[in-house]
Amino acid sequence: MFRLIVLDIDGTLLDPSDIVTPVVRDAISQARALGVEVALATGRRLRSTRPVVEELGIALPLVVHNGALVWDTAHDRPLHQAPFDRPTLALVTQTAREHELGLMLIRSPQSGERIVLTDTPGQASALLEAALATRPGDSERLPPDALPDLPDVLTIDLFAPEERLRPVSAMLAERGLELYHAGPLEWDANPPYWAANVHMPGTSKASGVAMLAQRLGITLADVLAVGDGENDLPLLEAAGLGVAMGNAAPHVKARAAAVVRGHDEDGVAEAIERFVLQPLRESGRPLPLRRSD
């Protein structure tokens, strides 16, 4: 009997028009009425996750920045953060510049989740400026040698065509960094650009949800996780049951324990019904959570 449902947002909770459908909303409400907690886990920043929470009208716990930040929405405070230390920040930023990758750093909510750019050679500079225009919030441009001194960077985004990005990602992964790829991006570039979200070693949606589960007095074995992306894989494989959306990439579906319909067919509602609501109804006993402070 699962005690916590953790949902990815883009390509999972949200349908193709970026809304939570009434069917999905109702399934979430039914699970919560039966004593099952629901949380969101996303690569998004806190700033861009808040509107989804407001749309749902529920103070859901949040795992954002791919697990680098766990946020208590009810009390509007951080529960856990995993910022880059100085040596690792220097390693990533220097490697990105040496290989002429687009480079974007995102700081913690305590710094307003400011986006930090630096001088970037080639086409990536203009593309980053265009990408920045789609991200609300403050930004700043710093010289490269100032980047390692930032104390609260939660995510580093690297941008380049896939054939240039993947080898650099592999180098950083060998040094223990956590990286999650997405693409091709909807940028006007030829060849298309891809992104890699980079985080401190050991940082993932699984690590963030594990911290949240501990505070709820449960373990990852009590978690039903639903997602569609590469950044969902650590959680899908660590959870009690990892469910891939029908719109997920083949390699994500291959590593999940179950697959449901896509986000265009209320796949989240299917997952909640099959693996939470139906078993709970058959058991006849709601399972209220015991929270630890």
Side-chain angles (χ1 to χ4, degrees):
M1 296 297 179
F2 296 110
R3 308 288 296 279
L4 172 64
I5 301 169
V6 180
L7 305 173
D8 171 50
I9 293 179
D10 298 291
T12 301
L13 176 66
L14 301 182
D15 77 353
S17 59
D18 288 338
I19 66 169
V20 182
T21 69
V23 173
V24 170
R25 187 189 302 271
D26 183 60
I28 292 172
S29 296
Q30 289 187 55
R32 297 182 78 246
L34 289 171
V36 180
E37 182 65 275
V38 178
L40 304 182
T42 177
R44 292 186 181 206
R45 296 180 292 161
L46 179 63
R47 179 190 296 268
S48 57
T49 305
R50 287 188 189 274
V52 180
V53 177
E54 291 168 0
E55 180 186 350
L56 286 169
I58 308 168
L60 300 180
L62 302 176
V63 175
V64 295
H65 288 275
N66 285 322
L69 175 65
V70 182
W71 193 263
D72 178 353
T73 305
H75 299 93
D76 205 29
R77 62 189 176 99
L79 300 176
H80 169 73
Q81 296 186 76
F84 280 87
D85 58 35
R86 194 181 195 285
T88 309
L89 193 54
L91 168 66
V92 178
T93 55
Q94 181 177 345
T95 300
R97 287 185 50 77
E98 287 175 354
H99 292 84
E100 298 188 356
L101 305 185
L103 178 63
M104 181 181 290
L105 288 67
I106 305 176
R107 303 182 67 180
S108 74
Q110 287 87 337
S111 296
E113 289 189 304
R114 291 176 67 86
I115 296 174
V116 181
L117 301 178
T118 191
D119 296 331
T120 303
Q123 184 185 21
S125 179
L127 291 173
L128 285 175
E129 293 292 347
L132 188 62
T134 68
R135 299 191 180 197
D138 296 331
S139 64
E140 58 188 325
R141 185 176 292 275
L142 297 176
D145 59 1
L147 301 182
D149 293 327
L150 296 173
D152 61 346
V153 174
L154 297 179
T155 300
I156 301 176
D157 287 341
L158 305 180
F159 303 95
E162 187 176 15
E163 63 272 14
R164 288 207 294 115
L165 182 62
R166 292 281 183 177
V168 180
S169 296
M171 291 169 49
L172 293 173
E174 289 178 356
R175 301 290 295 270
L177 277 294
E178 304 292 343
L179 297 100
Y180 309 105
H181 298 86
L185 304 177
E186 296 179 358
W187 292 2
D188 186 14
N190 188 19
Y193 267 50
W194 279 61
N197 308 136
V198 188
H199 300 279
M200 279 291 290
T203 299
S204 68
K205 290 187 180 184
S207 67
V209 171
M211 295 290 299
L212 177 60
Q214 182 179 19
R215 295 185 65 86
L216 295 172
I218 60 176
T219 70
L220 283 173
D222 301 303
V223 173
L224 169 70
V226 188
D228 75 307
E230 178 180 304
N231 61 340
D232 293 307
L233 281 172
L235 178 58
L236 295 185
E237 295 183 324
L241 184 68
V243 178
M245 298 292 289
N247 51 281
H251 73 282
V252 175
K253 288 190 279 191
R255 291 168 61 179
V259 178
V260 293
R261 297 187 300 266
H263 69 145
D264 57 341
E265 296 182 292
D266 297 320
V268 164
E270 179 190 348
I272 294 175
E273 175 62 34
R274 283 174 56 186
F275 304 117
V276 176
L277 299 181
Q278 184 175 340
L280 277 175
R281 291 193 197 102
E282 292 174 352
S283 74
R285 53 187 180 90
L287 300 174
L289 288 173
R290 297 186 302 276
R291 298 176 183 270
S292 60
D293 295 325

